[in-house]
Each structure stands twice: as C-alpha cells, then as structure tokens.
Amino acid sequence: MVSVLGELLELGPAGAETSAQGGLGVQPACPEDVESFYSEGFVKSLGVYGTEDLGRIIVSLCLKALLASCATVSGAKRDETKFLARSSDNLRLEENGRLKKENEALENLHNSLKSRNDLLNEKVTEQEDVIQKMQEKIELDEGVLDNLRGTIDRDNTKIVNLQTEVRQLKVDVEKKNELISKLEKEDEEDRETWVVASHEIVAKSAAIREEFQKALATFGAEPSPFPKEAEEKLTR
C-alpha cells in the first residue's frame, strides 16, 4: 500500500523505502533539512506549481506527516516498552535487593532468636536442675523435720511421764520426811527415856552395891571389884 501511494504521489524509491521503513518500525535517518527548514523560501518555491501539483504536494506532505506520526507512535511505544522493561528490571533488581536484605535480616533475626532460644533453654534446664535439687533438699528437710517432730513428741511424752514421777516422788519424799520426822521425834523420846532409865539403873546399881558392901562388911568380907569395862559403859 505504501509503495502504491508513493507511485501515485510520484515519490521515488527512496521515499517509498523510507515510508516502508517507517511502517516497519525501523528508525530512518533524520533529513538534514528538518532543522534548517525555511518557511518563506518554501512558500516562494510553491508559487511555481499549479493547483493540481500543489494538491499532490499537500497529499504527499500529509502522507509523510501521517507516516512520521506512525513512526513517532511506534518509536514512543518502543521507548515506552524499553523504559518499562528497564523500569521493570530496575524495580526487579531493587525488589530483589530489598528482598535479599530482608532475607538476610530475617536470617540474622532467625539466628539471633535461635541463639536466644538456645540460651533460654540452657537457663531453663539449669533452673529446672536447681529446682529439682531444691525439691530434693526440701523433701530431705521435711524427713528430718518429721523425725524431729517424732523425737519431740517422744520427749514430750517422757517429760510428762517424768513430771508425773517427780510429782509422785515429791509426794513420797514429803511422806518419808514426815515419817523421818516422826521417827526422829520418837527416837529422841526413846533416847530421853533410855537416858532416864540408865541413870535410874546406875543409881539403883550403886545403891545395891553399897548395900551389898555393907552386908559383906558385917561378915568381914569385901565384894569383888566391878569390871572396868562395865564401869565405863555405865559411866557413859
């Protein structure tokens, strides 16, 4: 279609090729007179053409403008596609970098949490060992306390029994003291009675001896001497 339009507008092969390249999306070389376009000279140069030629020129220019617009749109789409691809790559790289950093941060956090968890497990194990030892010590102490309670109960029973025995002994001692006092009193009374009787016996013995000496004297005899030991006993 492009080649047919070129032939109708009497465009050369270069124009058709340029139009075809624009339609295929290949970027042609920019004409040198695009930037150095002189409008007044161009208008003066159009004065030599007739109406039909000017119509053809207008159609040609419109077609070129249309092809340039299509090429611009295609270039814009290609640029947009490249920009989007570069943006996607950049975003993908940024996202990958961010995800990599987050992954590293999560890995570090995981390692840190694992280390803390291991440390806490060690502390929990140590505390469980301490608690178990304390529980064993408490059970041992409770056994000792139970033994002490049993000993205290037995001692209390012994103390009660001893107190009962002490009270009974006090009663017995009081009775024995009363009996001793009574016996001492009776012994004192018996001693006094015996002393009085001894004095009476000694006095009567002396009187009898004296009477016996007198009776023997009438017969011209003397009594045998009194045994010394008996005399000392009587004197005592």
Side-chain angles (χ1 to χ4, degrees):
M1 180 180 180
V2 174
S3 61
V4 173
L5 290 174
E7 291 177 357
L8 291 174
L9 295 174
E10 295 180 352
L11 295 174
E17 183 180 357
T18 303
S19 300
Q21 290 176 354
L24 295 174
V26 180
Q27 185 176 359
C30 183
E32 295 179 357
D33 59 350
V34 173
E35 296 181 358
S36 61
F37 178 72
Y38 183 55
S39 61
E40 293 182 0
F42 179 71
V43 171
K44 290 179 181 180
S45 65
L46 293 176
V48 298
Y49 295 101
T51 303
E52 185 178 354
D53 293 332
L54 290 174
R56 291 188 179 196
I57 292 171
I58 292 171
V59 172
S60 177
L61 291 175
C62 289
L63 180 60
K64 290 180 178 180
L66 178 61
L67 294 174
S69 297
C70 292
T72 301
V73 171
S74 298
K77 288 182 178 180
R78 289 193 303 271
D79 293 340
E80 183 180 3
T81 302
K82 292 179 180 179
F83 178 76
L84 290 175
R86 286 195 300 270
S87 298
S88 298
D89 293 338
N90 292 332
L91 290 175
R92 190 179 297 107
L93 291 174
E94 291 178 358
E95 185 68 16
N96 289 335
R98 185 178 64 81
L99 291 175
K100 185 177 180 180
K101 290 181 180 178
E102 289 181 357
N103 191 18
E104 291 177 355
L106 290 174
E107 187 68 22
N108 294 330
L109 180 61
H110 176 71
N111 294 331
S112 177
L113 291 176
K114 185 177 179 182
S115 300
R116 291 184 180 179
N117 191 20
D118 294 338
L119 182 60
L120 289 174
N121 287 331
E122 291 178 0
K123 289 184 177 180
V124 168
T125 303
E126 292 177 357
Q127 291 180 356
E128 287 179 352
D129 293 337
V130 172
I131 291 172
Q132 185 177 0
K133 291 180 181 179
M134 292 178 66
Q135 186 66 31
E136 292 176 356
K137 188 175 183 301
I138 289 171
E139 292 177 356
L140 182 62
D141 292 340
E142 287 180 353
V144 174
L145 289 175
D146 291 335
N147 293 331
L148 290 174
R149 291 191 188 99
T151 303
I152 290 171
D153 293 336
R154 289 191 295 272
D155 292 340
N156 289 330
T157 304
K158 290 180 180 179
I159 289 170
V160 171
N161 294 331
L162 290 174
Q163 289 176 348
T164 304
E165 291 179 0
V166 167
R167 286 193 294 269
Q168 186 63 37
L169 289 173
K170 285 182 179 180
V171 174
D172 294 340
V173 167
E174 290 178 356
K175 290 180 179 181
K176 288 181 180 181
N177 288 332
E178 292 177 357
L179 180 59
I180 290 170
S181 299
K182 184 178 179 180
L183 291 175
E184 287 179 350
K185 185 177 180 182
E186 291 178 354
D187 182 66
E188 185 67 25
E189 292 177 353
D190 293 340
R191 185 182 297 276
E192 292 178 355
T193 303
W194 183 80
V195 169
V196 172
S198 297
H199 286 296
E200 289 179 354
I201 290 170
V202 170
K204 288 180 179 181
S205 297
I208 291 170
R209 184 178 180 79
E210 185 177 357
E211 291 293 333
F212 183 69
Q213 287 178 354
K214 290 180 179 179
L216 290 176
T218 57
F219 296 100
E222 293 180 359
S224 60
F226 194 78
K228 189 176 181 180
E229 295 178 0
E231 186 177 0
E232 291 177 358
K233 289 181 179 180
L234 289 175
T235 303
R236 287 196 305 269

